[in-house]
Every structure is written in C-alpha cells, then in structure tokens.
Amino acid sequence: MTIKDTAEEWEVRASENPFVGNKTSVRTDDVVMPDGTVARRDYQVHPGSVAVLALDDRDRVLVIRQYRHPVRQKLWEIPAGLLDVPGENPLRAAQRELYEEAHVKAEDWRVLTDVYTTPGGCDEAVRIFLARDLSEADGQRFEVEDEEADMELARVPVQELVSGVLGGDLHNNCLVVGVLSLVAARNGDGLDALRPAEAPWPARPFEA
C-alpha cells in the first residue's frame, strides 16, 4: 500500500461566510457524510504561508522570537509569512520574508516539506523551505511594525533546537516541523536530494 494523501471533496449542500477579516475568513459548510447525513463544519479560510529554515555554515538555524497573542506567549520561530497574492510564487514569497525579517539572502533553496497546519479547523497550507549559503542582504532593512517591532533574532545550533522541541520548550509549528524534517532528511538521502525550490505544490498552485 502506498502511504500518500489524496484529493477528495465531499458534497457541500450549503455554504456561508459568517466572518470576513483582513487576511482570513470563517466559512460554514453543510457537508454530506458517507451515511447521507449532513454535518455542519466551521473552519478558517487562509491564503497559505511560506516559512524558511535558514541554515548557516556553522550548522545554526536563523530563528526569531515574536509575541503571539492568541497563545499569550513569545515563541521562537523561523521566518515566515502569508502568500499575500493568489497564485504568488512561494519561493519569491519566502525570499521576501527572509529579507524582511532577518535581512538575509540565500543562494541555495530547496523544498523541505509541505504541511497543513491544522486541517481539522483551517485550510492553511505551508511550504517550508531550506535555505543555505547565507549572506547579509543588500539595501536598507525593512521597517517593522506591530509585533515585529519587538522581535529578537538569533542563530541556534540544530541540535539545541531538536532538544528544545523534544523537551517541550519550543512549540511553533513551522520550527518544529522544519527542524525535525531537516534531521530526517540528513539521516535519509541527504539535503541535496530534497525537492527543487519550485517543485509543484497542489495545495497552492503557482506559476514558476
């Protein structure tokens, strides 16, 4: 048996949007179940995101610490951001986020993994990139605001992050998935065997 997620769409009898926000919204669908009954499902509609695990030549990951109001914590994270434009090339978006949040550029880009963050209640899809061969970006630094104005920036050894994840000290989804995927890739076919940076992404189709 091949272990692989597959596309499928159950019948929706009715749909409405009880809330529409600036970037996301809430949708309520009446979905036909396999036995013919109809169940109501509420979920957040999300444009999608990209995240960047930036690995330097000393085997350290570039991380940021940012306040996240819904969980009332400052979390250590990897650079990430929304796909602001439908159909936006995720690699370009990831390069932009790395520049804006860390003022860093990378010469080598690969797809580390693709995930749905909370598929039971949100349709957000995230593509996590591996970025290597890092250097300081040219030009002026991006002017931050709101929560980003309080961000901290650090470079942390991979093994220290792994210990933090397994010890229950680090909780950000993209950091956890990205760091553990990095270790798994190294222990498997190696980082150079990862998918190319513009590999197809059915969850958020784009033009290369």
Side-chain angles (χ1 to χ4, degrees):
M1 184 176 74
T2 301
I3 303 299
K4 183 178 180 179
D5 296 335
T6 56
E8 185 167 343
E9 188 166 352
W10 293 2
E11 180 186 352
V12 175
R13 291 276 174 85
S15 184
E16 59 184 51
N17 288 95
F19 169 79
V20 177
N22 186 32
K23 296 291 186 180
T24 67
S25 61
V26 173
R27 181 175 297 162
T28 299
D29 288 342
D30 292 337
V31 186
V32 180
M33 298 290 111
D35 64 358
T37 60
V38 176
R40 176 156 285 197
R41 295 289 178 261
D42 302 315
Y43 59 99
Q44 182 185 22
V45 178
H46 195 285
S49 306
V50 292
V52 184
L53 192 143
L55 185 68
D56 71 13
D57 57 5
R58 294 172 57 187
D59 206 41
R60 300 176 304 176
V61 175
L62 193 156
V63 291
I64 57 177
R65 188 170 182 241
Q66 185 171 346
Y67 176 67
R68 294 301 188 183
H69 186 70
V71 295
R72 307 302 199 272
Q73 289 192 26
K74 274 192 170 182
L75 301 180
W76 285 103
E77 309 177 350
I78 57 177
L82 298 176
L83 290 169
D84 293 324
V85 181
E88 181 178 15
N89 186 306
L91 174 60
R92 305 291 176 263
Q95 291 169 333
R96 180 187 68 236
E97 292 301 329
L98 185 60
Y99 169 79
E100 290 182 355
E101 295 193 352
H103 202 64
V104 165
K105 63 180 180 179
E107 299 301 323
D108 187 282
W109 290 82
R110 311 275 173 146
V111 174
L112 192 52
T113 190
D114 299 323
V115 295
Y116 292 114
T117 54
T118 48
C122 179
D123 70 353
E124 180 183 15
V126 181
R127 169 157 281 188
I128 304 176
F129 289 90
L130 172 65
R132 295 180 291 175
D133 194 4
L134 309 181
S135 62
E136 191 78 5
D138 299 324
Q140 286 188 323
R141 287 185 174 273
F142 182 76
E143 191 169 337
V144 296
E145 58 184 12
D146 300 328
E147 289 91 344
E148 293 181 349
D150 189 48
M151 282 195 316
E152 300 171 50
L153 185 65
R155 296 193 183 205
V156 181
V158 171
Q159 191 52 52
E160 188 174 332
L161 293 175
V162 171
S163 297
V165 169
L166 299 181
D169 296 323
L170 299 171
H171 308 91
N172 174 263
N173 181 287
C174 291
L175 184 147
V176 171
V177 173
V179 168
L180 298 186
S181 294
L182 173 71
V183 174
R186 282 176 164 172
N187 292 337
D189 295 331
L191 301 184
D192 290 335
L194 290 168
R195 287 174 290 161
E198 294 193 299
W201 189 17
R204 294 295 184 273
F206 63 94
E207 290 188 12

